[in-house]
């Protein structure tokens, strides 16, 4: 990938653009916090060729939500589980809405 190719990916929410140090700085947390939410399987950072963790903006948003819960006294493992369940609920609601729309459509040829 050339430098020109990289610039186009900066708008990609899933592009792993941030090092662990920079991610911790952006979130105002420690690298240990990022390791902990990784161990809890809330986020799985990609690894650079040298084995260093790299985070996307999407992952930083999830980490920020976890930090918010932890800052309000929720244990880190519970915060990670809450976020996972919130995500599953949102996906289930989206699928239900799709099924409702499909069921409400008139069928052709009847």
């Amino acid at each position: 990938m050339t430098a020109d190719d990289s610039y186009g990916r900066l708008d990609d929410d899933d592009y792993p653009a941030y090092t662990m140090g920079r991610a911790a700085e952006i979130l105002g947390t420690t690298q240990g916090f990022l390791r902990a939410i990784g161990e809890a399987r809330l986020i799985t950072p990609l690894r650079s060729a040298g084995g260093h963790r790299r985070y996307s903006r999407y992952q930083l948003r999830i980490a920020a939500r976890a930090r918010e819960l932890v800052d309000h006294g929720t244990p880190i493992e519970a915060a990670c589980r809450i976020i996972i369940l919130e995500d599953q609920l949102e996906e289930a609601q989206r699928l239900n809405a799709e099924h409702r729309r499909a069921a409400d459509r008139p069928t052709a040829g009847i």
Side-chain angles (χ1 to χ4, degrees):
M1 177 185 305
T2 67
D4 290 336
D5 294 336
S6 296
Y7 292 125
R9 303 205 58 194
L10 292 177
D11 288 337
D12 182 352
D13 262 1
D14 295 318
Y15 182 68
Y18 302 96
T19 63
M20 177 180 268
R22 182 67 180 127
E25 182 182 322
I26 289 168
L27 296 170
T29 191
T30 65
Q31 293 181 16
F33 176 80
L34 291 172
R35 282 188 208 94
I37 62 174
E39 289 169 10
R41 299 185 191 272
L42 180 61
I43 58 175
T44 304
L46 291 170
R47 298 282 181 151
S48 68
H52 300 282
R53 291 173 179 89
R54 306 282 295 190
Y55 297 87
S56 68
R57 287 189 305 205
Y58 174 73
Q59 290 172 323
L60 293 185
R61 284 195 299 274
I62 292 171
R65 174 72 174 124
R67 177 160 186 244
E68 178 184 323
L69 290 169
V70 169
D71 286 351
H72 285 98
T74 306
I76 197 162
E77 296 82 12
C80 292
R81 186 67 182 139
I82 288 167
I83 294 166
I84 289 167
L85 290 170
E86 287 174 341
D87 186 55
Q88 290 173 346
L89 176 60
E90 184 179 322
E91 178 65 9
Q93 289 172 332
R94 184 189 66 76
L95 289 172
N96 283 340
E98 282 181 20
H99 290 299
R100 272 197 236 62
R101 282 192 297 275
D104 290 344
R105 280 188 221 124
T107 55
I110 294 182

Short mmCIF file of all heavy atoms in Angstrom, two decimals, residues 16-66:
data_model
loop_
_atom_site.label_atom_id
_atom_site.label_comp_id
_atom_site.label_asym_id
_atom_site.label_seq_id
_atom_site.Cartn_x
_atom_site.Cartn_y
_atom_site.Cartn_z
N PRO A 16 -7.47 0.49 10.94
CA PRO A 16 -6.72 0.53 12.20
C PRO A 16 -5.61 1.60 12.17
O PRO A 16 -4.44 1.30 12.00
CB PRO A 16 -6.13 -0.88 12.29
CG PRO A 16 -5.98 -1.31 10.87
CD PRO A 16 -7.13 -0.67 10.13
N ALA A 17 -6.01 2.82 12.38
CA ALA A 17 -5.10 3.96 12.20
C ALA A 17 -4.37 4.37 13.47
O ALA A 17 -3.42 5.13 13.41
CB ALA A 17 -5.88 5.15 11.66
N TYR A 18 -4.80 3.89 14.64
CA TYR A 18 -4.27 4.42 15.90
C TYR A 18 -3.45 3.38 16.66
O TYR A 18 -3.91 2.25 16.87
CB TYR A 18 -5.42 4.90 16.80
CG TYR A 18 -6.25 5.96 16.13
CD1 TYR A 18 -7.42 5.62 15.47
CD2 TYR A 18 -5.85 7.28 16.12
CE1 TYR A 18 -8.18 6.59 14.83
CE2 TYR A 18 -6.60 8.25 15.49
CZ TYR A 18 -7.76 7.89 14.84
OH TYR A 18 -8.51 8.85 14.20
N THR A 19 -2.28 3.78 17.08
CA THR A 19 -1.45 2.92 17.93
C THR A 19 -2.09 2.85 19.32
O THR A 19 -2.95 3.66 19.66
CB THR A 19 -0.03 3.48 18.09
OG1 THR A 19 -0.13 4.76 18.75
CG2 THR A 19 0.66 3.63 16.74
N MET A 20 -1.64 1.91 20.11
CA MET A 20 -2.19 1.79 21.46
C MET A 20 -1.94 3.07 22.27
O MET A 20 -2.84 3.56 22.96
CB MET A 20 -1.58 0.60 22.19
CG MET A 20 -2.09 0.48 23.62
SD MET A 20 -1.41 -0.91 24.50
CE MET A 20 -2.66 -2.11 24.14
N GLY A 21 -0.76 3.62 22.16
CA GLY A 21 -0.45 4.84 22.90
C GLY A 21 -1.34 6.00 22.49
O GLY A 21 -1.86 6.73 23.33
N ARG A 22 -1.52 6.17 21.20
CA ARG A 22 -2.37 7.25 20.70
C ARG A 22 -3.83 7.02 21.08
O ARG A 22 -4.54 7.94 21.45
CB ARG A 22 -2.22 7.38 19.18
CG ARG A 22 -3.01 8.50 18.58
CD ARG A 22 -2.48 9.86 19.01
NE ARG A 22 -3.28 10.91 18.39
CZ ARG A 22 -3.87 11.89 19.05
NH1 ARG A 22 -3.70 12.00 20.35
NH2 ARG A 22 -4.60 12.78 18.42
N ALA A 23 -4.29 5.77 20.99
CA ALA A 23 -5.67 5.44 21.36
C ALA A 23 -5.91 5.76 22.83
O ALA A 23 -6.93 6.36 23.18
CB ALA A 23 -5.96 3.97 21.06
N ALA A 24 -4.98 5.37 23.69
CA ALA A 24 -5.12 5.66 25.13
C ALA A 24 -5.14 7.16 25.37
O ALA A 24 -5.93 7.66 26.18
CB ALA A 24 -3.97 5.00 25.90
N GLU A 25 -4.32 7.88 24.64
CA GLU A 25 -4.28 9.34 24.78
C GLU A 25 -5.61 9.97 24.36
O GLU A 25 -6.15 10.83 25.05
CB GLU A 25 -3.13 9.89 23.92
CG GLU A 25 -2.94 11.38 23.98
CD GLU A 25 -1.80 11.83 23.07
OE1 GLU A 25 -0.78 11.13 22.96
OE2 GLU A 25 -1.98 12.88 22.44
N ILE A 26 -6.14 9.54 23.23
CA ILE A 26 -7.41 10.06 22.72
C ILE A 26 -8.53 9.81 23.73
O ILE A 26 -9.37 10.67 23.98
CB ILE A 26 -7.76 9.43 21.36
CG1 ILE A 26 -6.81 9.95 20.27
CG2 ILE A 26 -9.22 9.68 20.98
CD1 ILE A 26 -6.88 9.18 18.97
N LEU A 27 -8.53 8.62 24.33
CA LEU A 27 -9.59 8.23 25.26
C LEU A 27 -9.36 8.77 26.67
O LEU A 27 -10.26 8.70 27.51
CB LEU A 27 -9.70 6.70 25.32
CG LEU A 27 -10.14 6.02 24.03
CD1 LEU A 27 -9.97 4.52 24.15
CD2 LEU A 27 -11.57 6.39 23.70
N GLY A 28 -8.16 9.26 26.93
CA GLY A 28 -7.84 9.74 28.28
C GLY A 28 -7.77 8.60 29.27
O GLY A 28 -8.20 8.72 30.41
N THR A 29 -7.23 7.48 28.84
CA THR A 29 -7.14 6.29 29.69
C THR A 29 -5.73 5.71 29.60
O THR A 29 -4.84 6.33 29.05
CB THR A 29 -8.22 5.26 29.28
OG1 THR A 29 -8.29 4.24 30.26
CG2 THR A 29 -7.97 4.67 27.91
N THR A 30 -5.56 4.54 30.13
CA THR A 30 -4.24 3.90 30.10
C THR A 30 -4.20 2.80 29.06
O THR A 30 -5.25 2.30 28.62
CB THR A 30 -3.92 3.28 31.47
OG1 THR A 30 -4.85 2.21 31.72
CG2 THR A 30 -3.98 4.31 32.59
N GLN A 31 -3.01 2.40 28.70
CA GLN A 31 -2.86 1.28 27.79
C GLN A 31 -3.35 -0.01 28.46
O GLN A 31 -3.88 -0.89 27.80
CB GLN A 31 -1.40 1.15 27.36
CG GLN A 31 -0.96 2.32 26.49
CD GLN A 31 0.48 2.21 26.03
OE1 GLN A 31 1.09 1.15 26.10
NE2 GLN A 31 1.02 3.32 25.54
N GLY A 32 -3.22 -0.08 29.77
CA GLY A 32 -3.72 -1.24 30.51
C GLY A 32 -5.22 -1.40 30.37
O GLY A 32 -5.73 -2.52 30.29
N PHE A 33 -5.94 -0.28 30.34
CA PHE A 33 -7.40 -0.33 30.14
C PHE A 33 -7.70 -0.94 28.77
O PHE A 33 -8.58 -1.81 28.65
CB PHE A 33 -8.01 1.07 30.25
CG PHE A 33 -9.48 1.10 29.96
CD1 PHE A 33 -10.39 0.72 30.92
CD2 PHE A 33 -9.94 1.51 28.72
CE1 PHE A 33 -11.76 0.73 30.65
CE2 PHE A 33 -11.29 1.53 28.44
CZ PHE A 33 -12.21 1.15 29.41
N LEU A 34 -6.97 -0.51 27.75
CA LEU A 34 -7.19 -1.06 26.41
C LEU A 34 -6.87 -2.54 26.37
O LEU A 34 -7.57 -3.32 25.73
CB LEU A 34 -6.36 -0.29 25.38
CG LEU A 34 -6.82 1.14 25.13
CD1 LEU A 34 -5.81 1.87 24.25
CD2 LEU A 34 -8.20 1.17 24.51
N ARG A 35 -5.81 -2.95 27.05
CA ARG A 35 -5.48 -4.38 27.12
C ARG A 35 -6.61 -5.15 27.82
O ARG A 35 -6.99 -6.24 27.39
CB ARG A 35 -4.17 -4.60 27.87
CG ARG A 35 -2.95 -4.31 27.06
CD ARG A 35 -1.68 -4.74 27.80
NE ARG A 35 -0.58 -3.92 27.36
CZ ARG A 35 -0.16 -2.81 27.96
NH1 ARG A 35 -0.73 -2.38 29.07
NH2 ARG A 35 0.84 -2.12 27.46
N ALA A 36 -7.14 -4.58 28.90
CA ALA A 36 -8.20 -5.25 29.68
C ALA A 36 -9.46 -5.45 28.85
O ALA A 36 -10.06 -6.54 28.90
CB ALA A 36 -8.51 -4.46 30.94
N ILE A 37 -9.88 -4.44 28.09
CA ILE A 37 -11.10 -4.64 27.28
C ILE A 37 -10.82 -5.57 26.11
O ILE A 37 -11.73 -6.22 25.61
CB ILE A 37 -11.75 -3.31 26.83
CG1 ILE A 37 -10.84 -2.49 25.95
CG2 ILE A 37 -12.22 -2.52 28.04
CD1 ILE A 37 -11.49 -1.24 25.37
N GLY A 38 -9.57 -5.65 25.69
CA GLY A 38 -9.20 -6.65 24.69
C GLY A 38 -9.26 -8.05 25.25
O GLY A 38 -9.77 -8.98 24.62
N GLU A 39 -8.77 -8.22 26.48
CA GLU A 39 -8.82 -9.53 27.14
C GLU A 39 -10.26 -9.95 27.42
O GLU A 39 -10.57 -11.14 27.40
CB GLU A 39 -8.01 -9.50 28.44
CG GLU A 39 -6.52 -9.42 28.20
CD GLU A 39 -5.72 -9.12 29.47
OE1 GLU A 39 -6.30 -9.16 30.58
OE2 GLU A 39 -4.52 -8.85 29.33
N ALA A 40 -11.13 -8.99 27.66
CA ALA A 40 -12.55 -9.28 27.87
C ALA A 40 -13.28 -9.50 26.55
O ALA A 40 -14.49 -9.74 26.54
CB ALA A 40 -13.21 -8.13 28.64
N ARG A 41 -12.56 -9.42 25.45
CA ARG A 41 -13.07 -9.65 24.09
C ARG A 41 -14.13 -8.64 23.66
O ARG A 41 -15.00 -8.95 22.85
CB ARG A 41 -13.58 -11.08 23.93
CG ARG A 41 -12.51 -12.12 24.16
CD ARG A 41 -13.03 -13.50 23.87
NE ARG A 41 -12.13 -14.53 24.33
CZ ARG A 41 -11.13 -15.03 23.60
NH1 ARG A 41 -10.91 -14.58 22.41
NH2 ARG A 41 -10.36 -15.97 24.10
N LEU A 42 -14.04 -7.43 24.22
CA LEU A 42 -14.94 -6.38 23.76
C LEU A 42 -14.48 -5.88 22.39
O LEU A 42 -15.29 -5.69 21.49
CB LEU A 42 -14.99 -5.24 24.76
CG LEU A 42 -15.90 -4.07 24.38
CD1 LEU A 42 -17.34 -4.54 24.23
CD2 LEU A 42 -15.80 -2.96 25.40
N ILE A 43 -13.20 -5.66 22.26
CA ILE A 43 -12.62 -5.28 20.97
C ILE A 43 -11.37 -6.13 20.74
O ILE A 43 -10.72 -6.55 21.69
CB ILE A 43 -12.26 -3.78 20.90
CG1 ILE A 43 -11.28 -3.40 21.99
CG2 ILE A 43 -13.50 -2.92 20.94
CD1 ILE A 43 -10.78 -1.96 21.90
N THR A 44 -11.09 -6.38 19.49
CA THR A 44 -9.88 -7.11 19.11
C THR A 44 -9.10 -6.24 18.14
O THR A 44 -9.45 -6.16 16.96
CB THR A 44 -10.24 -8.45 18.45
OG1 THR A 44 -11.07 -9.20 19.34
CG2 THR A 44 -8.98 -9.24 18.12
N PRO A 45 -8.07 -5.56 18.66
CA PRO A 45 -7.31 -4.69 17.77
C PRO A 45 -6.53 -5.51 16.74
O PRO A 45 -6.18 -6.66 17.00
CB PRO A 45 -6.36 -3.96 18.71
CG PRO A 45 -6.24 -4.83 19.91
CD PRO A 45 -7.55 -5.56 20.02
N LEU A 46 -6.35 -4.92 15.59
CA LEU A 46 -5.51 -5.56 14.59
C LEU A 46 -4.06 -5.40 15.03
O LEU A 46 -3.75 -4.57 15.88
CB LEU A 46 -5.75 -4.93 13.23
CG LEU A 46 -7.13 -5.24 12.65
CD1 LEU A 46 -7.40 -4.39 11.42
CD2 LEU A 46 -7.25 -6.70 12.30
N ARG A 47 -3.19 -6.17 14.44
CA ARG A 47 -1.77 -6.09 14.77
C ARG A 47 -0.98 -5.61 13.55
O ARG A 47 -1.26 -6.01 12.43
CB ARG A 47 -1.23 -7.46 15.20
CG ARG A 47 -1.88 -8.03 16.45
CD ARG A 47 -1.32 -7.38 17.68
NE ARG A 47 -1.91 -7.94 18.89
CZ ARG A 47 -1.29 -8.00 20.04
NH1 ARG A 47 -0.06 -7.55 20.15
NH2 ARG A 47 -1.88 -8.49 21.09
N SER A 48 -0.02 -4.75 13.81
CA SER A 48 0.86 -4.28 12.74
C SER A 48 1.82 -5.42 12.39
O SER A 48 1.86 -6.45 13.08
CB SER A 48 1.65 -3.06 13.21
OG SER A 48 2.58 -3.43 14.22
N ALA A 49 2.61 -5.23 11.36
CA ALA A 49 3.59 -6.23 10.96
C ALA A 49 4.55 -6.53 12.11
O ALA A 49 5.03 -7.65 12.25
CB ALA A 49 4.35 -5.77 9.73
N GLY A 50 4.80 -5.54 12.95
CA GLY A 50 5.69 -5.72 14.09
C GLY A 50 4.98 -6.27 15.32
O GLY A 50 5.59 -6.41 16.38
N GLY A 51 3.68 -6.54 15.24
CA GLY A 51 2.93 -7.11 16.34
C GLY A 51 2.30 -6.10 17.28
O GLY A 51 1.74 -6.47 18.31
N HIS A 52 2.36 -4.83 16.94
CA HIS A 52 1.78 -3.79 17.79
C HIS A 52 0.28 -3.66 17.55
O HIS A 52 -0.19 -3.78 16.42
CB HIS A 52 2.46 -2.44 17.53
CG HIS A 52 3.93 -2.48 17.80
ND1 HIS A 52 4.45 -2.43 19.07
CD2 HIS A 52 4.99 -2.59 16.96
CE1 HIS A 52 5.76 -2.51 19.01
NE2 HIS A 52 6.12 -2.61 17.74
N ARG A 53 -0.46 -3.40 18.61
CA ARG A 53 -1.91 -3.23 18.50
C ARG A 53 -2.23 -1.93 17.75
O ARG A 53 -1.64 -0.90 18.01
CB ARG A 53 -2.55 -3.18 19.89
CG ARG A 53 -2.52 -4.48 20.63
CD ARG A 53 -3.03 -4.27 22.06
NE ARG A 53 -3.04 -5.48 22.83
CZ ARG A 53 -2.01 -5.93 23.55
NH1 ARG A 53 -0.89 -5.24 23.61
NH2 ARG A 53 -2.11 -7.05 24.23
N ARG A 54 -3.24 -2.03 16.87
CA ARG A 54 -3.72 -0.87 16.12
C ARG A 54 -5.25 -0.84 16.23
O ARG A 54 -5.90 -1.85 16.08
CB ARG A 54 -3.31 -0.96 14.65
CG ARG A 54 -1.83 -1.17 14.39
CD ARG A 54 -1.06 0.08 14.53
NE ARG A 54 -1.48 1.01 13.49
CZ ARG A 54 -0.85 2.13 13.24
NH1 ARG A 54 0.22 2.46 13.91
NH2 ARG A 54 -1.28 2.95 12.31
N TYR A 55 -5.78 0.36 16.50
CA TYR A 55 -7.21 0.53 16.75
C TYR A 55 -7.86 1.39 15.68
O TYR A 55 -7.28 2.35 15.19
CB TYR A 55 -7.43 1.18 18.12
CG TYR A 55 -6.92 0.34 19.26
CD1 TYR A 55 -5.60 0.43 19.68
CD2 TYR A 55 -7.76 -0.56 19.90
CE1 TYR A 55 -5.13 -0.37 20.71
CE2 TYR A 55 -7.30 -1.35 20.94
CZ TYR A 55 -5.97 -1.24 21.34
OH TYR A 55 -5.52 -2.03 22.36
N SER A 56 -9.12 1.06 15.39
CA SER A 56 -9.91 1.85 14.44
C SER A 56 -10.75 2.87 15.22
O SER A 56 -10.90 2.77 16.44
CB SER A 56 -10.83 0.94 13.64
OG SER A 56 -11.83 0.39 14.48
N ARG A 57 -11.34 3.81 14.50
CA ARG A 57 -12.23 4.77 15.15
C ARG A 57 -13.45 4.07 15.73
O ARG A 57 -13.93 4.44 16.81
CB ARG A 57 -12.67 5.85 14.15
CG ARG A 57 -11.56 6.83 13.84
CD ARG A 57 -12.05 7.97 13.04
NE ARG A 57 -12.72 7.51 11.84
CZ ARG A 57 -12.85 8.20 10.74
NH1 ARG A 57 -12.39 9.42 10.68
NH2 ARG A 57 -13.46 7.72 9.69
N TYR A 58 -13.95 3.07 15.04
CA TYR A 58 -15.08 2.30 15.56
C TYR A 58 -14.72 1.67 16.91
O TYR A 58 -15.48 1.74 17.87
CB TYR A 58 -15.50 1.23 14.55
CG TYR A 58 -16.56 0.29 15.07
CD1 TYR A 58 -17.88 0.73 15.21
CD2 TYR A 58 -16.25 -1.01 15.42
CE1 TYR A 58 -18.85 -0.13 15.70
CE2 TYR A 58 -17.22 -1.86 15.92
CZ TYR A 58 -18.51 -1.42 16.05
OH TYR A 58 -19.47 -2.26 16.54
N GLN A 59 -13.54 1.06 16.99
CA GLN A 59 -13.10 0.45 18.24
C GLN A 59 -12.90 1.50 19.34
O GLN A 59 -13.19 1.23 20.50
CB GLN A 59 -11.81 -0.34 18.02
CG GLN A 59 -12.03 -1.59 17.20
CD GLN A 59 -10.73 -2.26 16.81
OE1 GLN A 59 -9.73 -1.60 16.51
NE2 GLN A 59 -10.74 -3.58 16.80
N LEU A 60 -12.45 2.67 18.96
CA LEU A 60 -12.28 3.74 19.95
C LEU A 60 -13.63 4.18 20.52
O LEU A 60 -13.74 4.48 21.71
CB LEU A 60 -11.53 4.92 19.36
CG LEU A 60 -10.06 4.68 18.99
CD1 LEU A 60 -9.42 5.97 18.52
CD2 LEU A 60 -9.28 4.07 20.13
N ARG A 61 -14.66 4.20 19.69
CA ARG A 61 -16.00 4.54 20.19
C ARG A 61 -16.49 3.51 21.19
O ARG A 61 -17.08 3.84 22.22
CB ARG A 61 -16.99 4.70 19.03
CG ARG A 61 -16.84 6.01 18.28
CD ARG A 61 -18.04 6.30 17.39
NE ARG A 61 -18.26 5.28 16.37
CZ ARG A 61 -17.68 5.27 15.18
NH1 ARG A 61 -16.82 6.21 14.84
NH2 ARG A 61 -17.96 4.33 14.31
N ILE A 62 -16.25 2.25 20.92
CA ILE A 62 -16.65 1.18 21.84
C ILE A 62 -15.85 1.31 23.14
O ILE A 62 -16.41 1.20 24.24
CB ILE A 62 -16.43 -0.21 21.19
CG1 ILE A 62 -17.41 -0.40 20.03
CG2 ILE A 62 -16.60 -1.32 22.23
CD1 ILE A 62 -17.13 -1.62 19.20
N ALA A 63 -14.56 1.54 23.02
CA ALA A 63 -13.71 1.71 24.20
C ALA A 63 -14.15 2.91 25.03
O ALA A 63 -14.13 2.86 26.26
CB ALA A 63 -12.24 1.83 23.78
N ALA A 64 -14.56 3.98 24.36
CA ALA A 64 -15.03 5.17 25.07
C ALA A 64 -16.30 4.86 25.86
O ALA A 64 -16.47 5.33 26.99
CB ALA A 64 -15.28 6.32 24.09
N ARG A 65 -17.18 4.05 25.28
CA ARG A 65 -18.41 3.65 26.00
C ARG A 65 -18.04 2.82 27.23
O ARG A 65 -18.61 3.01 28.31
CB ARG A 65 -19.33 2.87 25.06
CG ARG A 65 -20.55 2.27 25.72
CD ARG A 65 -21.58 3.32 26.10
NE ARG A 65 -22.77 2.66 26.61
CZ ARG A 65 -23.31 2.91 27.81
NH1 ARG A 65 -22.80 3.82 28.59
NH2 ARG A 65 -24.37 2.24 28.20
N ALA A 66 -17.08 1.90 27.06
CA ALA A 66 -16.64 1.08 28.20
C ALA A 66 -16.04 1.97 29.28
O ALA A 66 -16.33 1.79 30.47
CB ALA A 66 -15.62 0.05 27.73
#
